Amino acid sequence: MLQVDRVEVRFGGVQALKGVTLDVPEGAVVGLIGPNGAGKTTLFNVITGLERPSAGRVLLSGEDVTGLAPHLRARKGLGRTFQRIEVFSSLTVHENVLAAAEARRSWSRDDADPGRTASDLLERVGLLEIEHERVDRLPTGLLRLVEVARALASQPRLLLLDEPGSGLDTTESEALGDLLVELVADGSRSILLVEHDVELVMRVSSHLHVLDFGAIIASGAPEQVQQDPAVQAAYLGTSAA
Amino acid sequence: MTTFLALAISGLVFGCVYALTASGLVVTYVTSGIFNFAHGAIGMVAAFTFWQLHIAWGWPAPVAFLVVLLVLAPLLGAVVERILVRPLYGAPIGVTLVATLGLLVTLLGLAFLVWPPDTTRVLPRFFAGHTVTVFSLVIDWNQLLVIAAAVTVAVSLRLFFSRSRLGIAMRAVVDDPELAALAGTKPERVSQLSWAMGSSLAALAGILLAPLVTLNVTDLTLLVINGYAAAMIGRLRNLPATVGGALLIGFLNQQAVGYAPPWFNDYVSPAIPMILLFLAVLFIKGERLRAGSLQGLRMPRPPSLQRSLLSGAAFVLVAGVVGSQLSPANLAIGGQGMVLGVVMLSLVLLSGYGGQVSLCQLTFAGLGAYAMAKAGGGLGGLALAALLPAAAGALVAVTVVRLRGLFLALATLAFAQAMDKIFFLHALGSGSSLEVPRPSLPGIDLQDDRVFFAFLAAVFALAAVGVLALRRRAFGRRLIALNDSPAASATMGVSATSTRLVVMALSAAIAGVGGALLGGLHGSISNNDFLLLNSCVLLLLATLGGLFSPTGAFLAAMSYALFPKFQELFPDLGQVQFLFTGLGVLALGRNRYGIGGQLADAGEKLRALRVSRVREVARAAG
Ligand SMILES: Nc1ncnc2c1ncn2[C@@H]1O[C@H](COP(=O)(O)OP(=O)(O)OP(=O)(O)O)[C@@H](O)[C@H]1O
Ligand SMILES: [Mg+2]
């Protein structure tokens, strides 16, 4: 589904990504973890086209999209949410999702009713009750769910979620986990998940990558990665400290 | 050869003046991050102040010169920084732009007030009568003074930024304010200093320019604005490139006078700086999409279609009744308010919903009026009055589509000013005017002023209902989404380019219809109706009225239309439209909702209160 091939990014003196390579297979939830400042968000920006890598390639379903504008990548089935909330603050919850569904209708041949799509998705993430609230009055946790619903409205085949669980309470984050598993269940969709809530990542991911100082230091099945001494030193070590 | 050299010298002189103003602009911009649209007006005010001290009060020229340059101008800059600019650090570009434009307009208003244009003022050349001759080329001392001033400033700026502690601190602030603060430099102090310096440089340019041209408030302001092109060639940060750009502008302008064919000098030459400004802006790298640029604006909710239709109908009805009672003179004022209201609505769409700044809405209006006149009226003419500006708007949008904020504002400023020089001045005739017919409707006599007034009210209502309908539809949501978060919009597959293109064309079309009807209302138009500075006033008033609601647009347009009345009431207040608008905008500060926004907010609060009351009552009952 997604291949990231030796991607490098530098900001002035800081090398934020040092030759990152990873794969997201079809129909899977892949976790991406790492300490603060490791480069996870930067990698998301490279994949979605908000950041140009100084070297390396990004392939979507085998097609090189490295030079493609963000909105064209979106049309190829790439969706995301943002760590720093990016909702449309002048619109209601429903309109936020509606706008994405309408956008999809305008560039795809799919002419499902955007209003229905929006309401269905809001029901799925559990926000139907507040769909007519303005988003600028909602707490951050709920805004993350608005972003998830909005991203789903574009019907992406690959969904990048940047810390969707932060700001959610235990029940909410459990529901989110269920939703993620459900989303990939039919095999048509993949998710790349950045999340600090280790429990959530462990539960839903079938595969895990660990990023530290801009480099992948471990990859593999969640249990296996958890045991990796390098990971414990870099990531779990710091979070335990 | 002698002509060439003589023109090269005068080109060099103008280039030096532009270099001074542009350097001032760059120094303030890089240090404080705020582009000072009032820079030209500061130069103008300084020149007038110099005239006041030197000619009116008879101070010796050197004393007056130094007092303006080293005391008054820096003081003005420092005060402006403290009062106007400092609260704006970190504010979105829309806010800073409106604030410095407000300052521009205020200074214009003050200058008109203090130095009414009915007397001619002349600043003699410095060292009049003294010349030197180099290879049979006569150079006067005034020219030498300008060149010497520019060289001195260039060298001192260079030394200041590379050698002095303060200059190095200033550069540090540009690179990293927080780090500079850690190192013990107060960013506010440094930026205040940069405003004082910038203001002083603008003053120097203004004073040196004034003897070369005439002492006229708007002309002088616009001349100093020519220097913006040079600053842009230096990408607003590179001083040597800025100076080079300035010299190039001066050179091209003067050589054209000598060598270009007459038509070129008639049409194109006066617009050379603005054409260069436009081109330079095009070379600016488009703003990269960035996450985390959330604006958090709270736009009022649009009313339902039913409600806006009802309000529209009521509006037309009331306007009809009022119109039947008004005196012919007041009818014209009211009508003016209606058509300007239509132009304002084009800004609600473009700036309010779309978040794009335009300083050329009246240019589109003028194109609409021109199309109407050429088409000879009728509904077909009205259609053409929408299409021609729409095409122009699309053309502008295509060229500047990567640009947002400041650079878009500069591009539209250049477009408006260039169109003024290249097109309106000739197509509409300066002094004379172009007749514009009214549209005609079967069975309705639009030649009757009262009927036409009601028609205008209906057009405004229709446009308002239309704009609100657009806001509620998919296109409106896309526009607002794009404005609220460009990054998130892109991840939904929305093409910013095509959306901005469409909204620019649409907004130009609306403005064009407004312009055509404006012409029809008065029977004719002249080039003075669509000037850049009026477009600025229009944008500022629209902001004051609240860019998000037709109500705000209507209030703003009516106050614009009423300015002549105010002028009658306060004949000694100079040009009230500048003063009132400017002061109003300065009072607005960081508030971006304007009066219309406040009204909508109050309405929403009231409704929320009522709802909670109802709930309380229901709970008590249940
Ligand atoms: N636009 C930028 N300019 C300069 N440096 C940046 C920029 N964006 C990120 N960085 C730096 O790049 C590094 C990686 O940042 P990034 O936000 O990708 O980390 P992250 O893994 O998402 O961290 P977190 O868990 O805190 O979200 C950090 O050192 C950060 O300071
Ligand atoms: Mg991050």
Side-chain angles (χ1 to χ4, degrees), chain A residues 11 14 16 34-43 51 83 162-163 196, chain B residues 288 290:
Chain A
F11 298 113
V14 184
N36 288 335
K40 305 178 295 289
T41 300
T42 305
L43 183 61
E51 197 75 63
Q83 179 181 3
D162 202 344
E163 305 198 10
H196 278 303
Chain B
R288 220 159 31 89
R290 219 184 260 286

Side-chain angles (χ1 to χ4, degrees), chain A residues 50-51 70-71 74-75 80 82 84-90 92 95 98 100 102-103 107 134 136-137 150, chain B residues 288-289 291-294 296-299 301 474 477-478 480-481 484-485 488-495 604:
Chain A
L50 297 184
E51 197 75 63
H71 72 277
R75 295 181 188 184
R80 79 172 278 185
F82 295 86
R84 283 183 59 186
I85 303 285
E86 292 270 342
V87 290
F88 308 130
S89 47
S90 317
T92 63
E95 285 175 317
L98 181 60
E102 285 166 342
W107 51 255
R134 290 176 58 124
D136 58 356
R137 302 195 177 136
R150 184 181 65 191
Chain B
R288 220 159 31 89
L289 264 184
S293 54
L294 217 55
L297 259 189
R298 299 191 21 184
M299 254 180 247
R301 312 281 316 144
R477 275 186 287 275
R478 185 190 310 170
I480 287 169
D484 276 354
S485 169
S489 297
T491 62
M492 304 187 323
V494 168
S495 154
E604 227 168 90

Side-chain angles (χ1 to χ4, degrees), chain B residues 397-598:
Chain B
V398 167
T399 38
V400 303
V401 75
R402 296 165 307 112
L403 305 176
R404 305 190 59 205
L406 171 62
F407 299 116
L408 182 63
L410 282 171
T412 56
L413 175 144
F415 177 69
Q417 188 61 8
M419 279 296 286
D420 191 39
K421 300 276 185 236
I422 296 174
F423 185 74
F424 288 131
L425 203 58
H426 306 281
L428 308 183
S430 67
S432 65
S433 56
L434 185 68
E435 270 179 41
V436 182
R438 291 180 182 178
S440 51
L441 284 178
I444 300 175
D445 179 19
L446 291 182
Q447 298 308 317
D448 181 300
D449 283 345
R450 293 189 195 284
V451 177
F452 192 60
F453 178 81
F455 172 74
L456 294 180
V459 171
F460 174 79
L462 214 64
V465 170
V467 165
L468 284 172
L470 215 59
R471 160 73 177 83
R472 277 188 312 268
R473 297 179 66 83
F475 183 71
R477 275 186 287 275
R478 185 190 310 170
L479 210 54
I480 287 169
L482 195 60
N483 188 17
D484 276 354
S485 169
S489 297
T491 62
M492 304 187 323
V494 168
S495 154
T497 313
S498 63
T499 309
R500 296 219 174 96
L501 191 110
V502 171
V503 70
M504 189 83 160
L506 206 56
S507 141
I510 298 175
V513 169
L517 295 176
L518 180 74
L521 177 68
H522 299 305
S524 68
I525 48 166
S526 83
N527 69 313
N528 285 329
D529 294 335
F530 308 111
L531 297 177
L532 165 70
L533 290 174
N534 293 340
S535 271
C536 293
V537 171
L538 195 79
L539 175 70
L540 293 177
L541 273 179
T543 311
L544 257 182
L547 273 172
F548 307 110
S549 74
T551 318
F554 180 72
L555 291 178
M558 272 302 160
S559 26
Y560 197 139
L562 280 172
F563 278 140
K565 276 279 172 198
F566 286 134
Q567 194 75 72
E568 277 172 31
L569 283 177
F570 309 103
D572 39 6
L573 260 195
Q575 301 256 0
V576 287
Q577 79 268 29
F578 293 130
L579 208 55
F580 280 22
T581 311
L583 291 176
V585 167
L586 295 187
L588 202 60
R590 258 186 119 110
N591 173 342
R592 280 207 282 164
Y593 302 99
I595 298 161
Q598 306 289 5

Side-chain angles (χ1 to χ4, degrees), chain B residues 25-47:
Chain B
L25 204 56
V26 169
V27 168
T28 34
Y29 180 74
V30 283
T31 313
S32 68
I34 290 177
F35 186 93
N36 183 11
F37 274 91
H39 198 68
I42 291 177
M44 175 273 296
V45 166

Side-chain angles (χ1 to χ4, degrees), chain B residues 36-390:
Chain B
N36 183 11
F37 274 91
H39 198 68
I42 291 177
M44 175 273 296
V45 166
F48 272 89
T49 310
F50 177 70
W51 176 89
Q52 186 70 36
L53 299 181
H54 178 42
I55 305 293
W57 294 347
W59 295 21
V63 177
F65 189 74
L66 291 177
V67 165
V68 174
L69 219 58
L70 299 181
V71 181
L72 297 179
L75 204 64
L76 175 67
V79 169
V80 163
E81 193 277 345
R82 182 69 197 84
I83 295 176
L84 181 70
V85 175
R86 200 169 294 174
L88 298 183
Y89 290 130
I93 172 70
V95 174
T96 64
L97 195 123
V98 162
T100 60
L101 274 178
L103 179 63
L104 164 76
V105 167
T106 307
L107 290 176
L108 283 178
L110 283 176
F112 274 119
L113 177 67
V114 181
W115 298 286
D118 43 21
T119 42
T120 17
R121 299 177 184 80
V122 181
L123 265 181
R125 293 184 159 228
F126 295 95
F127 314 110
H130 293 273
T131 56
V132 287
T133 310
V134 186
F135 302 123
S136 79
L137 212 65
V138 183
I139 304 171
D140 66 37
W141 281 29
N142 188 76
Q143 292 177 316
L144 288 180
L145 173 72
V146 174
I147 297 168
V151 171
T152 314
V153 166
V155 171
S156 348
L157 279 181
R158 172 133 203 111
L159 287 179
F160 176 73
F161 281 116
S162 60
R163 298 285 165 76
S164 80
R165 270 191 57 178
L166 207 54
I168 292 168
M170 260 165 115
R171 279 189 6 215
V173 168
V174 178
D175 294 337
D176 190 344
E178 278 163 30
L179 209 67
L182 281 181
T185 322
K186 284 218 181 92
E188 302 91 39
R189 278 274 163 275
V190 170
S191 129
Q192 188 166 37
L193 177 73
S194 81
W195 276 76
M197 278 170 66
S199 172
S200 194
L201 288 172
L204 182 57
I207 294 173
L208 292 178
L209 201 55
L212 305 178
V213 294
T214 49
L215 205 53
N216 168 305
V217 172
T218 43
D219 289 356
L220 204 53
T221 305
L222 291 173
L223 263 177
V224 183
I225 284 181
N226 281 346
Y228 294 8
M232 211 51 239
I233 290 174
R235 295 170 171 242
L236 295 183
R237 42 179 48 252
N238 183 335
L239 277 177
T242 298
V243 171
L247 295 180
L248 179 75
I249 295 172
F251 180 79
L252 287 181
N253 240 351
Q254 291 303 309
Q255 292 301 332
V257 171
Y259 293 103
W263 66 264
F264 188 88
N265 277 322
D266 275 354
Y267 285 84
V268 184
S269 290
I272 285 179
M274 287 301 120
I275 294 172
L276 287 177
L277 174 58
F278 195 83
L279 291 179
V281 172
L282 291 187
F283 280 96
I284 286 290
K285 247 175 64 186
E287 197 174 314
R288 220 159 31 89
L289 264 184
R290 219 184 260 286
S293 54
L294 217 55
Q295 311 214 348
L297 259 189
R298 299 191 21 184
M299 254 180 247
R301 312 281 316 144
S304 67
L305 179 64
Q306 196 186 11
R307 244 191 79 195
S308 63
L309 276 175
L310 281 177
S311 316
F315 177 83
V316 176
L317 207 67
V318 171
V321 173
V322 171
S324 69
Q325 304 302 320
L326 287 177
S327 72
N330 288 342
L331 203 59
I333 290 180
Q336 172 104 353
M338 297 290 176
V339 286
L340 286 174
V342 175
V343 182
M344 294 270 187
L345 283 175
S346 77
L347 274 171
V348 169
L349 190 63
L350 184 69
S351 305
Y353 302 159
Q356 305 199 65
V357 187
S358 162
L359 297 179
C360 62
Q361 280 325 87
L362 281 181
T363 309
F364 294 138
L367 281 175
Y370 175 79
M372 186 72 175
K374 290 298 161 188
L379 283 183
L382 215 49
L384 204 63
L387 286 178
L388 180 69

Side-chain angles (χ1 to χ4, degrees), chain A residues 75 97-117 153-155, chain B residues 473-475 477-478 492-494:
Chain A
R75 295 181 188 184
V97 184
L98 181 60
E102 285 166 342
R104 175 175 163 82
R105 191 178 52 174
S106 74
W107 51 255
S108 73
R109 266 179 300 245
D110 176 6
D111 50 23
D113 173 21
R116 277 291 302 274
T117 310
S154 315
Q155 300 193 17
Chain B
R473 297 179 66 83
F475 183 71
R477 275 186 287 275
R478 185 190 310 170
M492 304 187 323
V494 168

